[in-house]
Amino acid sequence: MTFTTSSILWGLLFGSLGTGFFVYGKKQKAVVPLLCGLGLMVLVPLVSNTYAMVGAGAALSAIPFFFRP
């Protein structure tokens, strides 16, 4: 696994966003942000390709805005 500057910065962005979604979902007892936050936090160490990380991270970041109960 190679670490480039872009993969580190995208990982930092998606990891931070995932932490925020996770904390929000846990406090509000909302399942969708909780699971998306968990997915974003797990995505960063598992995906090594930067383009795949950006695509999956953008999709997981957008899900809570479109699926509100």
Side-chain angles (χ1 to χ4, degrees):
M1 181 174 190
T2 58
F3 293 108
T4 61
T5 304
S6 61
S7 68
I8 292 172
L9 290 177
W10 282 111
L12 179 67
L13 175 74
F14 289 131
S16 301
L17 194 60
T19 304
F21 276 145
F22 184 78
V23 169
Y24 173 78
K26 189 173 179 181
K27 286 188 176 187
Q28 298 295 323
K29 295 184 173 77
V31 177
V32 174
L34 180 80
L35 292 178
C36 286
L38 188 64
L40 282 168
M41 289 188 294
V42 170
L43 170 83
V44 174
L46 293 181
V47 178
S48 61
N49 186 357
T50 305
Y51 295 114
M53 184 189 304
V54 170
L60 282 171
S61 299
I63 288 174
F65 294 107
F66 292 114
F67 293 109
R68 293 185 184 181

